[in-house]
Amino acid sequence: MKREISRPRPGVEAHFKNIGFAYAHMDGEPYWDESARYIFTLREIEDDIEAATRELDALCLELVGRIAESEETMDRLHVAKHARELIAESWKRRDPSLYGRFDLAYDSKGPAKLLEYNADTPTSLFETGVVQWHWLEQLTASGELPQHADQFNSLHDRLIARWAEIAPERLVHFGAMSDSVEDFGTAAYLADCAVQAGCGAALLDMHDVGLDGAHFCDRDGRKIETLFKLYPWEWMFADTFSHAPAMRVTRFVEPPWKALLSNKGMLALLWEMAPGHPNLLECYFASNPRAAALGQSYAKKPIYSREGANVLLMKDGAAIASTPGDYGAEGHVRQALHMLPCFDGRYPVVGSWVVGGEPAGMGLREDATPLTSNHSRFVPHAIVG
């Protein structure tokens, strides 16, 4: 694994406009950054990233089976009481999952380590599956990369195939917050994948979801039978409509059982279940006396949070990085400090995707600090050698 300087493509902004990449810049700053690229060997991808992704997905599914049968563990995760039966029923039915993203620390010198799992509302799909693939094709065509260069990236095709499996010929509503260009763009991309799979698709703002008797409905009065929601389960469970009978009528993507894995308390539970696993970091609930075993170096993370908010990194008793936010009321976990590798003053995190239980590709985001946030930049990768 190495970082290289890369020459940006001429006319790339016109290309982005043509493919509908509306958030290449966000908040006045570049989000997509092709002035650099990360280079991997095939062995690193297959043995270290892909294998770890498959292993972590299996561990997570085993963990859900344990949590779904334990009221005490639900308490530890601060799962809303009225949601627990819905979650358990969803797991018992094995309601299908579309996707998830494991955020890994990896430097090619040791096993990939799980930092967290974006199991419910992960973004960076379009830039991973489409934008960086176009980048690879154009750089190999121009000779900037060798003709045999490849990418760990079957994400786009796997998403289409998965929609065909879980919602064949159904109308799927895609809900997100329309005031977020990234979230709404991600929902629109997934809707396009569903259409290519033969499904119908309707895009709507989450505020436009209504209730009509025993069903949720859209503004046109159509029943919402299948809803993809780029809206966290913990937010939904805090809403009044989460008590409605329609919650048991609607088919959700991601399904309710994914709420158990989008909670960072699962990092502590994974360590309890598989202590010493090479792809896991030692982790405890902050209220657990055993958290003191981590000493003065650890990452403190809220049980519920988004976009890397309210994370604190402590090293030898001193805070070395932190992010602001409004999360943490439900409690925190303490995870053993494992620094991201540093390349040219940049710290990359590997986002490894799983679709329908299979590793599907990866995207890298890097930052000038050891913490990854919604301001971190997406940098493409290639496999050479």
Side-chain angles (χ1 to χ4, degrees), residues 317-373:
I320 60 171
S322 63
T323 50
D326 301 317
Y327 299 99
E330 295 83 6
H332 298 78
V333 295
R334 284 192 183 186
Q335 186 183 56
L337 183 66
H338 186 90
M339 297 293 291
L340 293 172
C342 186
F343 295 85
D344 304 323
R346 295 285 174 171
Y347 298 87
V349 65
V350 173
S352 187
W353 292 92
V354 59
V355 175
E358 289 296 322
M362 74 179 187
L364 286 91
R365 290 171 298 149
E366 65 173 23
D367 205 286
T369 78
L371 279 176
T372 308
S373 72

Side-chain angles (χ1 to χ4, degrees), residues 211-232:
L211 187 60
D212 181 14
H215 295 271
F216 292 122
C217 62
D218 62 20
R219 280 189 174 273
D220 295 325
R222 290 178 297 186
K223 292 179 181 178
I224 299 176
E225 296 181 345
T226 302
L227 175 64
F228 168 86
K229 47 152 208 75
L230 206 63
Y231 191 77

Side-chain angles (χ1 to χ4, degrees), residues 229-350:
K229 47 152 208 75
L230 206 63
Y231 191 77
W233 271 114
E234 65 267 23
W235 292 6
M236 289 190 68
F237 291 145
D239 288 340
T240 301
F241 71 65
S242 68
H243 295 266
M247 293 292 290
R248 282 183 163 77
V249 175
T250 306
R251 185 177 183 184
F252 292 100
V253 181
E254 292 295 300
W257 61 263
K258 274 300 211 51
L260 302 178
L261 296 177
S262 64
N263 180 315
K264 290 183 181 60
M266 60 81 72
L267 297 169
L269 297 177
L270 276 177
W271 184 257
E272 286 183 15
M273 186 180 78
H277 190 284
N279 298 124
L280 297 179
L281 293 171
E282 188 173 1
C283 187
Y284 304 97
F285 289 95
S287 58
N288 186 338
R290 298 187 67 185
L294 298 176
Q296 298 298 304
S297 298
Y298 56 84
K300 180 182 177 183
K301 301 179 179 182
I303 287 176
Y304 291 118
S305 71
R306 281 173 58 82
E307 304 285 5
N310 296 102
V311 175
L312 171 67
L313 300 186
M314 298 289 293
K315 186 175 183 180
D316 299 327
I320 60 171
S322 63
T323 50
D326 301 317
Y327 299 99
E330 295 83 6
H332 298 78
V333 295
R334 284 192 183 186
Q335 186 183 56
L337 183 66
H338 186 90
M339 297 293 291
L340 293 172
C342 186
F343 295 85
D344 304 323
R346 295 285 174 171
Y347 298 87
V349 65
V350 173

Side-chain angles (χ1 to χ4, degrees), residues 1-3 38-50 52 104-113 278-279 338-343 348-350 362 364 382 384-385:
M1 177 185 181
K2 60 183 178 179
R3 186 182 191 268
Y38 283 89
I39 302 296
F40 294 81
T41 67
L42 184 60
R43 186 211 64 77
E44 289 170 344
I45 295 298
E46 291 182 341
D47 294 350
D48 297 344
I49 303 298
E50 193 171 358
L104 308 173
Y106 178 71
D107 62 2
S108 78
K109 299 178 178 64
K113 298 290 188 178
N279 298 124
H338 186 90
M339 297 293 291
L340 293 172
C342 186
F343 295 85
V349 65
V350 173
M362 74 179 187
L364 286 91
V384 180

